[in-house]
Amino acid sequence: MAPQLEPFFKQVDESSESFIDRLRKAVAIPSISAQDENRKDVFRMAQFLADELTALGAEVEQRPLGKQPGKEHLDLPPVVVARYGNDKNKKTILVYGHYDVQPAQKEDGWATEPFELTIDEKGRMYGRGSTDDKGPVLGWINVIEAHRKAGVELPVNLLCCFEGMEEYGSEGLDDFIQAEAKKYFKDTDAVCISDNYWLGTEKPCLTYGLRGCNYYSVSVSGPAQDLHSGVFGGSAHEPMTDLVTVLSKLVDPQGNILIPGLMDLVAPVTEDEKSLYGNISYTMENLHESLGSETGIHPNKERTLMARWRYPSLSIHGIEGAYSAPGAKTVIPAKVIGKFSIRTVPNMESEDVNKLVFDHIKAEFAKLNSKNKLDVWLQHDGKWWVASPKHWNFSAASKAVQQVFGVEPDMTREGGSIPVTLTFEQATGKNVLLLPMGSSTDAAHSANEKLDRRNYIEGTKLLGAYLHYVAEEPATQ
Amino acid sequence: MAPQLEPFFKQVDESSESFIDRLRKAVAIPSISAQDENRKDVFRMAQFLADELTALGAEVEQRPLGKQPGKEHLDLPPVVVARYGNDKNKKTILVYGHYDVQPAQKEDGWATEPFELTIDEKGRMYGRGSTDDKGPVLGWINVIEAHRKAGVELPVNLLCCFEGMEEYGSEGLDDFIQAEAKKYFKDTDAVCISDNYWLGTEKPCLTYGLRGCNYYSVSVSGPAQDLHSGVFGGSAHEPMTDLVTVLSKLVDPQGNILIPGLMDLVAPVTEDEKSLYGNISYTMENLHESLGSETGIHPNKERTLMARWRYPSLSIHGIEGAYSAPGAKTVIPAKVIGKFSIRTVPNMESEDVNKLVFDHIKAEFAKLNSKNKLDVWLQHDGKWWVASPKHWNFSAASKAVQQVFGVEPDMTREGGSIPVTLTFEQATGKNVLLLPMGSSTDAAHSANEKLDRRNYIEGTKLLGAYLHYVAEEPATQ
């Protein structure tokens, strides 16, 4: 049975200008976590959130994370945690967002001042952080306010976890979440993260999977210093020749990974899973638009999305130590380091992947009969994440989408990583839902970042409706 | 019959301190052609040479070359041309050298001030330009002075051509040489260039060949902008994958060029030529020492030297547009440009090489079935040069080496290029000899460049003796 959401929705519509004003104030604070000189603004943004939540009756704390590793003259911004409601008979939903933003300067190609929210005639609200991630964070605050003003009780206990270092590696957050899982977050029943995007511009989605990433370096070294190609070309083994040959054995131009055994680690596609792809609102034109070219590998939507979401991929990113400037230089580089990464999916375990990668590269190098020296190592890894899209957390969000937007949401995965997702899942042991507010055209991290008015206002309704449907779900794991 | 060189040699020994003082004055002028702020010093160095030559009775001109292309606020340094002697009954020898130097700063790793000639207890004279190429240039001036002081007539007419832009692409020189070939240089009988180095440290050499160089770029482009490897990995053709695959088809790790037909262009080795390699004073230890590693391809001296001097080689220098910094970045580069070059030898004509390279690369790319776009082009080329080591110009130099050093010189080629060599040969139609003064340990272009006192003083004797033996040779082409 659908909850009675009308008074809440009506209040959101009535408060929409004040909600936009709240976003305007937040965008005006340049809380850039990557720039030392803006650290005070990141703290200011934390205080802004704390004040807003306190004014609405939430219990708020700003939790310090200590000094920034490697930059000990800087304090890490606090995690703003808040609790709204403490009723044992209600479910408790933990929501995550971040209040720091990417750097932005007018000269980067912005049409408007990046830290002044500017709304055009189509309701596109331009400003750094509008969609990533201040809009979604304020969405939760708007939900609380609209409930209070409408006199509707919030149907769940809400726990907030808003961090200020997401754009700079979420320094300190993992430890914090692990430490608080059985303390501040202990009564969490499910987690909701609003920090990704719809697949397109019209249809909301719920995201239930992310790929992991294993990032490798492979070095080849020989001579003690760079050599002149005129003097030594033809008489010495060249590290660059060896490296290029080894790199050419990793992946073919059709995207097939050439590392023996690697594809055997990938979970087979089930019929159930297949059925999720056909209805997804995505076209090859969408792909070509985002590529800016018609250089997609696969002939149709289904295979494209599966390649992006549920199969591994291998990308060669570049080479360190070789000549990389424009122009011409007749150098034989003495040591070159190739960089590549593998996007991982179920059931690829990092250690298994590493072993196959290392064995393959060493075997290919051995075939070269080169006197140079090869080394290969893992730079970093992050695990894939897949949740069950049949969990009540997702069912509730799906009903909320249908209520607010009148369509069934796309059930999506993402090719990239949002590491905090897995941290929350592992630390709390609860289902995690990615419930995006913004659309594919929002240009997060780029110039002219924006959030559409519709996405912000209807998105606030969506977050609120989600809490109501969650409250109605049977409380199973 | 050997000329009577004793009075000249005796005078060189007696004047050696003043010759070293001449080098000290020259090194003190930081005539760095690559740095705008030193252009005045390059002009000062031209004036220094002109004054020295004038004082010895030569007719000297400083020929302007106009403004520097691309840097029109700078005048190109003049070519200092000089004539000493104008006797129709004598041969006329044109000698070339350059009076500009590479940049140098103490911080680059110099143990002494780079522009103060500093002589250690072993007679190693450290200073920028000492060996490259102020020592050899002053060698010719010393020869004139020693003859005058000893009362010995110079047995040839000497034409000097000293340039001031060699370390910055010899801007304007080719046109100048072409223009003056039938004017200022018209009675040239042979050319001698002293601007390279002995193969080792003990035995002088005469150099009769240089490899050419064809430098290529090959670009692969696809998407309109760099992509995120999480979002697009597996669903789009990656330019880097294609480029690495194509580059791996150019040369194998044993140095074998994989371009079909290319080796067919190479002149076969003759028995006569083979006989030149066995006696050359070079060992595999020399190779390992200069590499700083035991990563040579070939098992012996002969094959190593032939690979360096008389066979082509292909080196991959680097990739522009890919990620080249330390660390990790999960980028799919949108456009990458591979740089490689082929060192060319007789009888490889540049146009033939280009056609084989372009055809091969396009054919290999076509095999990939990639939707990306490939382009390949020649950045620049410079032709190989081989002179006859049996020409009287070489015979005379060989006799001079035996007279001064008591050994037969090594007959060498070089793997690299000295483009002016071919320009002189083509413009004058005369034999060109490369007659080095410095040794393999002189560190030209590096920190702690030096010229050994022995190489400078005995080298001065060598240049003079060469002129005497040249005068005795039958005047055939």
Side-chain angles (χ1 to χ4, degrees):
Chain A
M1 194 192 90
Q4 294 307 306
L5 289 161
E6 286 79 8
F8 165 63
F9 286 176
K10 191 157 170 283
Q11 186 61 51
V12 172
D13 285 329
E14 282 173 14
S15 298
S16 59
E17 287 311 313
S18 88
F19 291 167
I20 290 169
D21 196 53
R22 177 174 277 141
L23 183 59
R24 181 175 290 113
K25 285 178 190 156
V27 164
I29 302 171
S31 52
I32 303 165
S33 49
Q35 295 176 184
D36 292 13
E37 64 270 30
N38 292 104
R39 185 55 53 90
K40 64 182 188 311
D41 300 310
V42 186
F43 275 85
R44 203 147 59 86
M45 185 65 205
Q47 189 62 49
F48 172 82
L49 289 180
D51 291 346
E52 295 283 297
L53 284 159
T54 303
L56 292 171
E59 298 161 23
V60 186
E61 296 177 40
Q62 295 189 49
R63 294 290 194 89
L65 294 178
K67 299 289 179 190
Q68 182 167 336
K71 285 194 176 183
E72 277 72 14
H73 59 290
L74 291 177
D75 285 311
L76 286 169
V79 180
V80 177
V81 291
R83 167 178 284 279
Y84 189 83
N86 201 351
D87 183 339
K88 293 266 181 288
N89 297 314
K90 292 178 181 175
K91 289 202 186 73
T92 298
I93 302 299
L94 169 57
V95 302
Y96 162 89
H98 65 89
Y99 61 83
D100 63 320
V101 298
Q102 284 276 319
Q105 294 187 72
K106 187 93 196 298
E107 307 84 82
D108 297 340
W110 284 77
T112 60
E113 287 297 331
F115 296 102
E116 289 176 17
L117 193 75
T118 309
I119 310 175
D120 73 6
E121 71 288 350
K122 290 184 171 166
R124 291 179 293 213
M125 306 189 294
Y126 292 95
R128 175 56 88 220
S130 54
T131 195
D132 182 19
D133 187 38
K134 289 178 174 176
V137 164
L138 300 187
W140 296 112
I141 297 175
N142 296 343
V143 163
I144 298 172
E145 182 179 331
H147 276 81
R148 291 172 67 94
K149 283 199 173 162
V152 180
E153 191 184 336
L154 203 68
V156 301
N157 305 312
L158 198 65
L159 284 176
C160 298
C161 175
F162 299 143
E163 71 153 321
M165 281 298 277
E166 198 273 347
E167 304 292 4
Y168 203 72
S170 291
E171 288 277 13
L173 188 70
D174 269 18
D175 290 345
F176 177 80
I177 293 171
Q178 300 287 354
E180 296 298 332
K182 302 294 169 218
K183 295 198 279 186
Y184 199 88
F185 302 144
K186 71 173 183 301
D187 55 345
T188 298
D189 291 298
V191 181
C192 180
I193 297 176
S194 188
D195 189 23
N196 65 318
Y197 306 92
W198 299 356
L199 201 52
T201 56
E202 288 306 312
K203 200 170 163 194
C205 67
L206 310 182
T207 304
Y208 67 97
L210 299 166
R211 294 198 288 188
C213 184
N214 278 29
Y215 201 107
Y216 299 97
S217 291
V218 51
S219 72
V220 182
S221 58
Q225 66 288 320
D226 286 359
L227 302 174
H228 187 290
S229 67
V231 179
F232 292 100
S235 61
H237 290 286
E238 302 192 11
M240 190 66 177
T241 303
D242 296 353
L243 180 64
V244 158
T245 307
V246 167
L247 291 178
S248 77
K249 308 295 187 188
L250 298 177
V251 60
D252 76 17
Q254 310 307 317
N256 300 303
I257 298 177
L258 304 174
I259 299 164
L262 197 101
M263 295 307 290
D264 300 339
L265 302 178
V266 178
V269 184
T270 63
E271 287 305 310
D272 206 28
E273 186 192 347
K274 256 189 206 162
S275 69
L276 291 169
Y277 288 88
N279 288 326
I280 287 172
S281 170
Y282 189 76
T283 65
M284 293 306 285
E285 286 64 43
N286 292 146
L287 174 68
H288 297 156
E289 195 184 345
S290 55
L291 290 176
S293 66
E294 302 199 356
T295 55
I297 291 176
H298 306 290
N300 57 42
K301 169 180 89 174
E302 288 79 2
R303 286 182 60 186
T304 298
L305 291 177
M306 289 177 103
R308 180 184 291 192
W309 294 348
R310 69 98 57 227
Y311 283 115
S313 63
L314 190 155
S315 296
I316 303 168
H317 307 296
I319 296 174
E320 182 185 339
Y323 177 60
S324 60
K329 188 178 176 187
T330 53
V331 66
I332 297 174
K335 180 177 183 177
V336 284
I337 307 173
K339 314 282 179 82
F340 67 96
S341 67
I342 297 175
R343 295 286 165 174
T344 57
V345 297
N347 299 313
M348 299 167 77
E349 295 297 328
S350 182
E351 301 70 38
D352 299 338
V353 174
N354 294 346
K355 182 172 180 351
L356 292 174
V357 167
F358 297 162
D359 286 354
H360 176 62
I361 285 184
K362 286 172 185 168
E364 288 296 329
F365 182 68
K367 287 183 196 167
L368 306 185
N369 284 316
S370 170
K371 293 177 188 152
N372 291 324
K373 186 175 166 300
L374 173 136
D375 201 5
V376 54
W377 66 96
L378 178 76
Q379 272 208 47
H380 61 72
D381 60 354
K383 202 182 169 175
W384 44 265
W385 164 78
V386 178
S388 166
K390 314 246 177 211
H391 188 275
W392 57 257
N393 198 24
F394 281 81
S395 311
S398 178
K399 289 173 191 162
V401 168
Q402 291 176 66
Q403 176 74 39
V404 175
F405 290 92
V407 292
E408 267 200 70
D410 284 332
M411 301 304 288
T412 68
R413 288 160 73 159
E414 293 218 353
S417 309
I418 308 178
V420 72
T421 311
L422 193 66
T423 308
F424 274 119
E425 183 184 275
Q426 292 176 334
T428 66
K430 305 294 177 177
N431 182 277
V432 181
L433 159 73
L434 304 187
L435 180 60
M437 175 182 273
S439 85
S440 67
T441 55
D442 282 358
H445 291 215
S446 298
N448 303 312
E449 175 181 348
K450 59 92 177 162
L451 176 63
D452 291 348
R453 183 193 164 100
R454 169 179 179 246
N455 286 63
Y456 183 53
I457 300 303
E458 301 305 303
T460 293
K461 291 179 189 168
L462 174 64
L463 299 182
Y466 155 71
L467 298 181
H468 282 267
Y469 284 101
V470 153
E472 293 209 331
E473 293 286 330
T476 57
Q477 275 287 334
Chain B
M1 193 192 91
Q4 295 307 305
L5 288 162
E6 287 78 6
F8 164 64
F9 286 175
K10 191 158 171 283
Q11 186 61 52
V12 171
D13 286 330
E14 282 173 13
S15 298
S16 59
E17 287 311 313
S18 88
F19 292 166
I20 290 168
D21 196 51
R22 177 174 278 143
L23 183 59
R24 181 175 290 112
K25 285 177 190 156
V27 165
I29 303 172
S31 52
I32 303 165
S33 48
Q35 295 177 182
D36 292 13
E37 65 271 27
N38 292 103
R39 185 56 52 90
K40 64 181 188 312
D41 300 311
V42 187
F43 274 85
R44 204 147 58 87
M45 185 64 205
Q47 189 61 49
F48 172 83
L49 289 180
D51 290 348
E52 295 284 298
L53 284 159
T54 304
L56 292 170
E59 300 160 22
V60 186
E61 297 176 42
Q62 295 188 49
R63 295 291 194 88
L65 293 178
K67 299 288 177 190
Q68 183 167 337
K71 284 193 176 184
E72 277 73 13
H73 59 289
L74 290 178
D75 285 313
L76 287 168
V79 180
V80 177
V81 291
R83 167 178 285 279
Y84 188 83
N86 200 352
D87 183 339
K88 291 270 183 285
N89 297 316
K90 292 179 179 173
K91 289 204 186 72
T92 300
I93 301 299
L94 169 58
V95 302
Y96 162 90
H98 64 90
Y99 61 83
D100 63 319
V101 298
Q102 283 277 318
Q105 293 186 76
K106 188 95 197 293
E107 307 84 82
D108 298 341
W110 285 78
T112 60
E113 286 297 330
F115 296 101
E116 288 177 18
L117 193 76
T118 309
I119 310 174
D120 73 7
E121 72 288 350
K122 291 185 170 165
R124 292 178 293 212
M125 307 189 293
Y126 292 95
R128 175 56 89 219
S130 55
T131 194
D132 182 19
D133 184 39
K134 289 178 174 176
V137 164
L138 299 187
W140 297 112
I141 296 176
N142 297 342
V143 164
I144 297 172
E145 182 178 330
H147 277 82
R148 289 173 69 93
K149 284 200 173 160
V152 181
E153 190 183 338
L154 203 67
V156 300
N157 305 311
L158 198 65
L159 284 176
C160 298
C161 176
F162 299 143
E163 72 154 321
M165 281 297 276
E166 199 271 347
E167 304 292 6
Y168 202 73
S170 290
E171 288 277 12
L173 188 71
D174 269 18
D175 290 346
F176 177 82
I177 294 171
Q178 299 289 355
E180 296 298 332
K182 301 297 169 216
K183 296 198 280 189
Y184 198 90
F185 303 144
K186 70 175 185 299
D187 54 344
T188 299
D189 291 300
V191 181
C192 180
I193 297 176
S194 189
D195 189 22
N196 63 319
Y197 307 92
W198 298 357
L199 201 52
T201 55
E202 288 306 313
K203 198 171 164 197
C205 67
L206 310 182
T207 304
Y208 66 97
L210 300 165
R211 293 197 291 187
C213 184
N214 279 28
Y215 200 107
Y216 298 96
S217 290
V218 50
S219 72
V220 181
S221 57
Q225 66 289 319
D226 286 0
L227 303 174
H228 188 291
S229 67
V231 180
F232 292 100
S235 62
H237 290 286
E238 301 192 12
M240 191 65 178
T241 304
D242 296 354
L243 180 64
V244 159
T245 308
V246 167
L247 292 177
S248 76
K249 308 294 186 188
L250 298 176
V251 61
D252 76 16
Q254 310 307 316
N256 301 303
I257 298 177
L258 305 175
I259 299 166
L262 197 102
M263 295 307 290
D264 301 338
L265 302 176
V266 178
V269 184
T270 63
E271 287 305 312
D272 207 28
E273 186 192 345
K274 255 188 207 162
S275 68
L276 291 169
Y277 289 89
N279 289 327
I280 287 172
S281 169
Y282 189 77
T283 65
M284 293 307 284
E285 285 65 43
N286 293 146
L287 175 68
H288 297 156
E289 194 184 344
S290 54
L291 290 176
S293 64
E294 301 200 358
T295 56
I297 291 177
H298 306 288
N300 58 42
K301 168 179 90 173
E302 288 79 2
R303 286 181 61 185
T304 297
L305 291 177
M306 289 178 103
R308 179 184 294 194
W309 293 348
R310 70 97 56 226
Y311 282 116
S313 63
L314 190 154
S315 297
I316 302 168
H317 307 297
I319 296 175
E320 181 185 340
Y323 177 61
S324 59
K329 188 179 176 187
T330 53
V331 66
I332 297 174
K335 181 177 181 176
V336 284
I337 307 174
K339 314 283 180 80
F340 67 96
S341 67
I342 298 175
R343 296 286 164 173
T344 58
V345 297
N347 300 313
M348 300 167 76
E349 295 298 328
S350 182
E351 301 71 36
D352 300 338
V353 174
N354 294 344
K355 184 173 178 346
L356 293 174
V357 167
F358 298 161
D359 286 354
H360 176 64
I361 285 183
K362 285 172 186 170
E364 288 296 329
F365 182 68
K367 287 183 197 168
L368 306 186
N369 284 316
S370 170
K371 293 178 188 151
N372 290 323
K373 187 175 167 298
L374 173 137
D375 201 5
V376 54
W377 66 97
L378 179 76
Q379 272 207 49
H380 62 71
D381 59 354
K383 204 183 166 173
W384 45 265
W385 164 79
V386 178
S388 165
K390 314 247 178 211
H391 188 278
W392 56 256
N393 198 25
F394 281 82
S395 311
S398 179
K399 290 173 192 164
V401 168
Q402 290 176 67
Q403 176 72 40
V404 175
F405 291 92
V407 293
E408 266 200 71
D410 284 332
M411 301 303 287
T412 68
R413 289 160 74 158
E414 293 220 352
S417 307
I418 306 177
V420 74
T421 311
L422 191 67
T423 307
F424 274 119
E425 183 183 276
Q426 292 176 335
T428 66
K430 305 295 177 176
N431 182 277
V432 181
L433 158 73
L434 303 187
L435 180 59
M437 174 182 273
S439 84
S440 67
T441 56
D442 283 358
H445 291 214
S446 298
N448 303 312
E449 175 181 346
K450 60 91 177 161
L451 176 65
D452 289 349
R453 183 192 165 100
R454 169 180 181 245
N455 286 63
Y456 183 53
I457 300 303
E458 300 305 304
T460 293
K461 291 180 188 168
L462 172 64
L463 297 182
Y466 155 70
L467 298 180
H468 283 267
Y469 283 102
V470 153
E472 294 209 331
E473 292 287 330
T476 56
Q477 275 288 333

